[in-house]
C-alpha cells in the first residue's frame, strides 16, 4: 500500500470508541475485552459453553472440545439445527413479524421483504421440495443463484434437512461449475434463469447447461435434477426429465417440515476457495461451532440490535455472504438487507440511495469498493442522508489508511466506528477485529484477536516475533468455526494448514504486530492473489492459460493496483510457429474467462521469450512480480538458470 508521509501520519492516529457508543455496546471497555479474551483462550471450554447457551440446542453437548491436532470437534454429543436457530426460535417472540430479509433488485423499484414467519415458511416449503427431489441427509446440493432471497432460502432449506450446500459464485464459469460438481458429487443444482448485473443479464441457467454438457462428455454426471428459479424471465432451455421450475415444485408441497435433529459436527457446507497449488479446495464447515462463531461475531463485532438494518454487500457465493448475510444475522434475529446488483447501477450513488431509503444502520463492505467510491467522488455521497449509519465494517484485503479515513469521514460522518475484520473462508468468521465499543482503532490495522483466537506473528522457525517485526500469521489454538477439512482430501488439509509449523494453523498471510499488539496484515505470502477482494490462485490461472493450444508455458503474478488491490498479470511463452500478437492476447483473455469465469480475467498478458527459472526448474515468481510492477530487479538472482530471459521479459509489454 502507500508508503508516503501522509499515510504514515494517518496510520498513527488513534480513534477511540465514542463514550455514548461504548456505553450501549455489549463490550464497552478494553478491560472487559481483555478479561473475556483471556478466559476464552485459557478456559475455552468454560467460556464457549456459556456463549453457546445463547443458541437453541435440541440436546445439550457432553463435551465442549476435543482437540487432536489438526482435528477439532466442538460440542460433542450436542444436537441442533442451524435453520431452527435462524428461524423457528424467533417465531415465538416479537421477531416473528419483523423483517428477516429486505431485498432490492438491481432494476429500480424492485423490493421484497420477508418476515421471520414468512422466511420460515418458505424454507420449510423448499426443504420439502428438496426432499421430494430425493435430497437426503449428507447429500451435496450445488447452488448457483443470483442475489435473491431464494438463495438464502435454498441454503437454509439444506441446513434444515441436513444436506450440505456448495454455493458457487455467479461470476464463475461453466467449467468451474463442472469441477465443483465432480469434486463434491452434487446430484442436484439449484439455479435461476439469470440475474441482473450492471443492467445486463447473467446467463446462469445457460452456464449450468454448458457445465452439464461438459460433464456428460466426460462420462460422469452425478446431476439428476436442476431446479430453476424464474428471476429475469429470459428464455432458457428446459431439459425434460432433468430440469424443473422452482415455482412449479412449490405447488406440490406444504409448509410442514420439522428441523432435522443433527449432531453438532454435521457438515453444513462446502465452499470452494483458491489455494497456491492445484484446483480450488472444498472448505468444509460444520454445524455447532460455525453457527456459534457466526452468531457471536454478529453479537460482539457488529453489536447487532433488533432496531438495526444491517447490510453486508458481499455476494452469497463468498464466505462473507454465508456468515454475514445469512447465518450470523439471522441467528441473531436481525434484519439482513440484500441487494442484487452493482454499486454503479443505474448511477454511482446506488449504495447511498439504498442506505438512505432503507435506513441502513450497520454497513459491511470491501476496501476495493471503498476505493472505487473514493474515485467516483464525494458528490455522489453528498446527495444522500446517511445519518442512519452507526457502524461500518470492512473485509477482504488490507485497507489502506487513505481509504479508511475516507470511509470514516465521508460515509461514517466521523461518527461511526470502523471494524476492519481479518478472516478467511477457512476460519468461518472474524478472527482479528476491533470490538466497536472497546478497541481503539488506527487506520489500516485489524487490531486484536476475537474471543478464542490465539493469533501470533512468527518467524520461519515458528518463534513469536517482537513488536514491528514482519513474519507469518498463525493461530495456535482451535476455534469453534475453524474448517474441519478439505472435502475429499485429508492429506491436503494437513499439508496446507498444519505443516508449516507444528501445532499451528498457518493462514498464508504475512503480518506484524505494533507495540500495542495490533495486527497489521500485509497480505498473502503464498501464490494466492487477492483481486478486488476475490481470492484467486496463480496456479488456477496458469493452468487455464496452458490449456490453450497456443501456449507453451505461463506464469501468473499479481501487480499492485490502485482500485483492485492486485491486478492479474500473465507471462506467456507460445508454442513453436505461433504468432504472439494482439489477437492471441485477446483470445487468451477470453479463454481464462471461459475456463474460470469473469472474476479471473487477466489484466495484462505479456508474451516472453522464456520464463526465469532456477536451475531446478522452479519459476522465479519474485522476479516476475518485480517486472510486472515495473520495479528494478533486486534480490538474489544467482540461482537463475539463464539471465538473458529477464531481458526479454522486461521488454514484453501488454
Ligand atoms: C473473508 C475473506 C482471505 C484472505 C486473507 C487475507 C485477505 C481478508 C482482510 C484481509 C487484510 C483484512 N475470505 N483478507 N480480510 N487482509 N485485512 N481485514 O476475505 O478466503 O476470500 O480471503 O483475504 O489475505 O487470507 S477469503
Amino acid at each position: 500500500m502507500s508508503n508516503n508521509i501522509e499515510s504514515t501520519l494517518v496510520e498513527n492516529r488513534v480513534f477511540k470508541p465514542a463514550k455514548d457508543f461504548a456505553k450501549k455496546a455489549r463490550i464497552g471497555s478494553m478491560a472487559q475485552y481483555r478479561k473475556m479474551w483471556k478466559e476464552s483462550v485459557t478456559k475455552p471450554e468454560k467460556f464457549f459453553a456459556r456463549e453457546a447457551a445463547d443458541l437453541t440446542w435440541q440436546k445439550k453437548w457432553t463435551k465442549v472440545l476435543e482437540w487432536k491436532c489438526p482435528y477439532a470437534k466442538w460440542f460433542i454429543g450436542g444436537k441442533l439445527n442451524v435453520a431452527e436457530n435462524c428461524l423457528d426460535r424467533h417465531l415465538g417472540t416479537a421477531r416473528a413479524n419483523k423483517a428477516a430479509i429486505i431485498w432490492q433488485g438491481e432494476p429500480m423499484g424492485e423490493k421484497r421483504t420477508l418476515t421471520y414467519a414468512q422466511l420460515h415458511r418458505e424454507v420449510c416449503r423448499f426443504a420439502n421440495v428438496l426432499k421430494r427431489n430425493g435430497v437426503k441427509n449428507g447429500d451435496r446440493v450445488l447452488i448457483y443463484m443470483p442475489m435473491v432471497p431464494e438463495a438464502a432460502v435454498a441454503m437454509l432449506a439444506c441446513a434444515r434437512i441436513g444436506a450440505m450446500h456448495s454455493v458457487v459464485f455467479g461470476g464463475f464459469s461453466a467449467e468451474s461449475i463442472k469441477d465443483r460438481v465432480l469434486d463434491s458429487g452434487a446430484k442436484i443444482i439449484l439455479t435461476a434463469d439469470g440475474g441482473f448485473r450492471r443492467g445486463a443479464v447473467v446467463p446462469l441457467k445457460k452456464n449450468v447447461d454448458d457445465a452439464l454438457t461438459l460433464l456428460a462428455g466426460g462420462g460422469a454426471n452425478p446431476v439428476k435434477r436442476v431446479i430453476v428459479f424464474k428471476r429475469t424471465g429470459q428464455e432458457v432451455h428446459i431439459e425434460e426429465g432433468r430440469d424443473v421450475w422452482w415455482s412449479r415444485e412449490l405447488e406440490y408441497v406444504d409448509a410442514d417440515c420439522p428441523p432435522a435433529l443433527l449432531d453438532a459436527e454435521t457438515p453444513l457446507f462446502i465452499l470452494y476457495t483458491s489455494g497456491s497449488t492445484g484446483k480450488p479446495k472444498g472448505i468444509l464447515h460444520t454445524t455447532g461451532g460455525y453457527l456459534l462463531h457466526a452468531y457471536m461475531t454478529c453479537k460482539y463485532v457488529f453489536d447487532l440490535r433488533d432496531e438495526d438494518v444491517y447490510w453486508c454487500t458481499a455476494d452469497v457465493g463468498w464466505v462473507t455472504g454465508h456468515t454475514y448475510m445469512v447465518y450470523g444475522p439471522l441467528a441473531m434475529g436481525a434484519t439482513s438487507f440484500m441487494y442484487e446488483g452493482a454499486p454503479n447501477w443505474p448511477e454511482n450513488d446506488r449504495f447511498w440511495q439504498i442506505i438512505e431509503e432503507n435506513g441502513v444502520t450497520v454497513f459491511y463492505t470491501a476496501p476495493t469498493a471503498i476505493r472505487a467510491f473514493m474515485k467516483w467522488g464525494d458528490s455522489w455521497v453528498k446527495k444522500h442522508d446517511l445519518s442512519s449509519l452507526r457502524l461500518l465494517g470492512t473485509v477482504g484485503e488490507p485497507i489502506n489508511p487513505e481509504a479508511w479515513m475516507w470511509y470514516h469521514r465521508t460515509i461514517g460522518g466521523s461518527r461511526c466506528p470502523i471494524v476492519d475484520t481479518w478472516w478467511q473462508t477457512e476460519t468461518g468468521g472474524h478472527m482479528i477485529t476491533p470490538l466497536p465499543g472497546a478497541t481503539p482503532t488506527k487506520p489500516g490495522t485489524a487490531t486484536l484477536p476475537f474471543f478464542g483466537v490465539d493469533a501470533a506473528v512468527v518467524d520461519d522457525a515458528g518463534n513469536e516475533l517482537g513488536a514491528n517485526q514482519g513474519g507469518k500469521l498463525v493461530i495456535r489454538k482451535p476455534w469453534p468455526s475453524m474448517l474441519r477439512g478439505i472435502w475429499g482430501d485429508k492429506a491436503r488439509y494437513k499439508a496446507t494448514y498444519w505443516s508449516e509449523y507444528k501445532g499451528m494453523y498457518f493462514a498464508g498471510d504475512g503480518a506484524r504486530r505494533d507495540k500495542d499488539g495490533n495486527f497489521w496484515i500485509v497480505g498473502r505470502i503464498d501464490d494466492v492473489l487477492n483481486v478486488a477482494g476475490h481470492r484467486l490462485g496463480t496456479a488456477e490461472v496458469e493452468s487455464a492459460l496452458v490449456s490453450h493450444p497456443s501456449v507453451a508455458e505461463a506464469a501468473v503474478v499479481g501487480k499492485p493496483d490502485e482500485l483492485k488491490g492486485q491486478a492479474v498479470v500473465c507471462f506467456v511463452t507460445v508454442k513453436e510457429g505461433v504468432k504472439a500478437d494482439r489477437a492471441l492476447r485477446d483470445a487468451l483473455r477470453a479463454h481464462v474467462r471461459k475456463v474460470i469465469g469473469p472474476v479471473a480475467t487477466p489484466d495484462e498478458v505479456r508474451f516472453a521469450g522464456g520464463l526465469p527459472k532456477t536451475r531446478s526448474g522452479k519459476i522465479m515468481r519474485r522476479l516476475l512480480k518485480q517486472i510486472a510492477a515495473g520495479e528494478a530487479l533486486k534480490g538474489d538472482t544467482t540461482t537463475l538458470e539463464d539471465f538473458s530471459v529477464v531481458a526479454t521479459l522486461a521488454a514484453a509489454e501488454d
Side-chain angles (χ1 to χ4, degrees):
M1 290 293 112
S2 357
N3 289 318
N4 58 38
I5 290 169
E6 195 204 346
S7 86
T8 316
L9 293 176
V10 162
E11 274 179 27
N12 292 326
R13 273 187 67 177
V14 179
F15 293 80
K16 291 218 173 92
K19 280 210 177 69
D20 56 336
F21 195 102
K23 217 154 91 193
K24 286 186 216 136
R26 292 190 177 90
I27 310 288
S29 70
M30 279 306 277
Q32 194 186 353
Y33 159 73
R34 287 214 176 86
K35 186 165 165 261
M36 283 176 72
W37 183 81
K38 188 154 181 236
E39 190 197 4
S40 74
V41 293
T42 55
K43 299 186 187 103
E45 305 213 16
K46 189 171 166 220
F47 180 87
F48 285 110
R50 198 173 57 230
E51 294 293 325
D54 275 7
L55 299 179
T56 298
W57 295 83
Q58 296 171 332
K59 185 170 171 278
K60 205 185 160 182
W61 59 89
T62 51
K63 194 170 191 296
V64 174
L65 169 66
E66 182 191 287
W67 176 228
K68 290 182 188 143
C69 185
Y71 307 106
K73 284 187 183 154
W74 286 86
F75 305 106
I76 294 155
K79 292 201 188 286
L80 77 167
N81 185 293
V82 167
E84 182 182 13
N85 272 277
C86 290
L87 302 166
D88 308 47
R89 69 173 175 147
H90 306 310
L91 298 186
T93 74
R95 289 177 184 146
N97 295 313
K98 147 181 189 178
I101 295 177
I102 302 176
W103 173 86
Q104 279 192 10
E106 190 183 75
M108 291 300 276
E110 274 193 283
K111 195 164 179 173
R112 283 167 67 192
T113 298
L114 285 155
T115 64
Y116 272 95
Q118 288 167 330
L119 183 61
H120 171 262
R121 184 179 159 79
E122 290 312 308
V123 168
C124 288
R125 290 174 76 210
F126 198 71
N128 282 334
V129 167
L130 291 176
K131 283 192 201 164
R132 203 182 110 72
N133 282 279
V135 179
K136 296 200 168 54
N137 188 329
D139 284 347
R140 277 78 62 208
V141 175
L142 193 137
I143 300 178
Y144 187 65
M145 300 272 294
M147 286 283 285
V148 290
E150 280 67 20
V153 168
M155 293 161 74
L156 289 159
C158 290
R160 195 162 189 90
I161 64 172
M164 288 170 237
H165 56 71
S166 185
V167 184
V168 177
F169 173 53
F172 281 123
S173 66
E175 295 225 18
S176 296
I177 300 170
K178 178 206 78 178
D179 289 344
R180 286 154 178 75
V181 164
L182 281 178
D183 192 82
S184 66
K187 57 182 187 185
I188 184 164
I189 297 181
L190 312 178
T191 189
D193 48 359
F196 291 107
R197 180 84 196 174
R198 207 159 291 140
V201 159
V202 185
L204 298 170
K205 174 62 166 64
K206 168 81 170 52
N207 291 345
V208 169
D209 290 341
D210 292 350
L212 293 172
T213 307
L214 290 167
L215 283 161
N221 182 5
V223 180
K224 300 286 176 281
R225 178 72 77 229
V226 179
I227 304 183
V228 189
F229 178 72
K230 191 179 264 184
R231 164 70 189 117
T232 62
Q234 81 213 82
E235 191 129 354
V236 291
H237 168 73
I238 293 290
E239 180 91 19
E240 277 307 320
R242 186 195 70 193
D243 304 349
V244 294
W245 288 104
W246 191 292
S247 57
R248 191 69 215 277
E249 284 299 296
L250 285 172
E251 288 172 15
Y252 300 108
V253 296
D254 61 22
D256 181 22
C257 178
L261 187 75
L262 301 172
D263 192 90
E265 283 297 336
T266 304
L268 178 65
F269 66 84
I270 302 169
L271 184 60
Y272 286 85
T273 194
S274 303
S276 51
T277 56
K279 289 217 165 119
K281 312 174 276 220
I283 302 302
L284 178 68
H285 282 288
T286 60
T287 297
Y290 170 81
L291 184 69
L292 177 62
H293 193 93
Y295 170 87
M296 280 180 68
T297 46
C298 282
K299 179 175 166 186
Y300 295 122
V301 179
F302 294 138
D303 201 38
L304 291 185
R305 306 284 162 165
D306 269 322
E307 315 81 83
D308 277 318
V309 177
Y310 158 80
W311 182 17
C312 164
T313 69
D315 192 280
V316 71
W318 305 107
V319 72
T320 308
H322 284 55
T323 309
Y324 295 113
M325 193 177 62
V326 179
Y327 292 121
L330 297 181
M332 284 281 295
T335 296
S336 186
F337 183 85
M338 181 177 192
Y339 168 59
E340 177 187 38
N344 53 354
W345 187 269
E347 300 227 62
N348 291 344
D349 60 342
R350 186 65 189 272
F351 275 18
W352 320 130
Q353 184 261 322
I354 287 176
I355 291 176
E356 178 172 17
E357 184 178 323
N358 295 280
V360 171
T361 54
V362 179
F363 179 64
Y364 191 34
T365 196
T368 186
I370 297 167
R371 290 192 296 267
F373 301 142
M374 272 174 87
K375 201 183 116 196
W376 296 340
D378 294 10
S379 61
W380 293 106
V381 186
K382 299 284 175 247
K383 282 167 68 174
H384 299 279
D385 175 5
L386 303 186
S387 59
S388 59
L389 289 171
R390 66 175 192 88
L391 175 62
L392 303 174
T394 133
V395 61
E397 53 179 316
I399 183 164
N400 47 309
E402 291 76 9
W404 195 103
M405 283 307 301
W406 185 86
Y407 198 30
H408 175 73
R409 286 196 188 119
T410 313
I411 304 305
S414 301
R415 137 193 110 250
C416 306
I418 295 180
V419 288
D420 173 357
T421 60
W422 176 86
W423 59 294
Q424 307 178 294
T425 306
E426 292 87 339
T427 69
H430 302 152
M431 296 295 277
I432 300 178
T433 174
L435 300 183
T439 318
T441 54
K442 293 180 202 175
T445 169
T447 71
L448 299 167
F450 186 69
F451 303 131
V453 177
D454 181 20
V457 176
V458 298
D459 64 15
D460 286 335
N463 303 311
E464 187 159 7
L465 290 166
N468 291 317
Q469 287 182 282
K472 291 172 182 169
L473 182 60
V474 296
I475 316 290
R476 299 181 292 198
K477 284 193 171 67
W479 64 100
S481 63
M482 66 184 265
L483 76 164
R484 298 299 194 266
I486 295 174
W487 182 254
D489 201 340
K490 238 181 155 166
R492 194 173 174 196
Y493 167 67
K494 221 173 155 172
T496 308
Y497 304 108
W498 302 93
S499 298
E500 189 87 8
Y501 305 107
K502 200 173 173 302
M504 299 184 207
Y505 169 85
F506 172 54
D509 281 311
R512 70 179 166 85
R513 290 188 90 163
D514 64 20
K515 60 171 181 18
D516 303 317
N518 294 308
F519 285 82
W520 296 77
I521 315 292
V522 180
R524 303 293 304 192
I525 47 177
D526 53 10
D527 294 322
V528 170
L529 304 178
N530 193 330
V531 182
H534 300 318
R535 194 165 145 180
L536 286 173
T538 52
E540 262 176 283
V541 185
E542 285 163 7
S543 77
L545 285 165
V546 296
S547 72
H548 189 278
S550 300
V551 173
E553 270 194 309
V556 173
V557 295
K559 155 183 165 174
D561 182 277
E562 214 185 297
L563 281 183
K564 302 201 288 184
Q566 275 186 309
V568 182
V569 179
C570 310
F571 291 91
V572 171
T573 64
V574 295
K575 286 187 184 151
E576 275 295 312
V578 169
K579 214 167 137 215
D581 55 9
R582 176 146 293 279
L584 179 60
R585 188 173 286 139
D586 293 343
L588 292 180
R589 276 209 184 93
H591 184 69
V592 174
R593 279 176 76 95
K594 184 167 161 274
V595 175
I596 306 176
V599 291
T601 307
D603 294 277
E604 289 178 26
V605 176
R606 299 195 187 187
F607 294 114
L611 298 178
K613 291 190 188 152
T614 62
R615 275 169 219 136
S616 61
K618 274 188 108 178
I619 292 173
M620 293 181 76
R621 239 169 253 287
R622 178 172 54 81
L623 285 187
L624 291 176
K625 274 187 203 156
Q626 291 167 8
I627 292 166
E631 292 167 5
L633 299 188
K634 46 184 188 276
D636 184 22
T637 50
T638 53
T639 54
L640 193 62
E641 194 202 34
D642 174 6
F643 197 81
S644 69
V645 298
V646 172
T648 76
L649 282 167
E653 268 173 42
D654 180 87

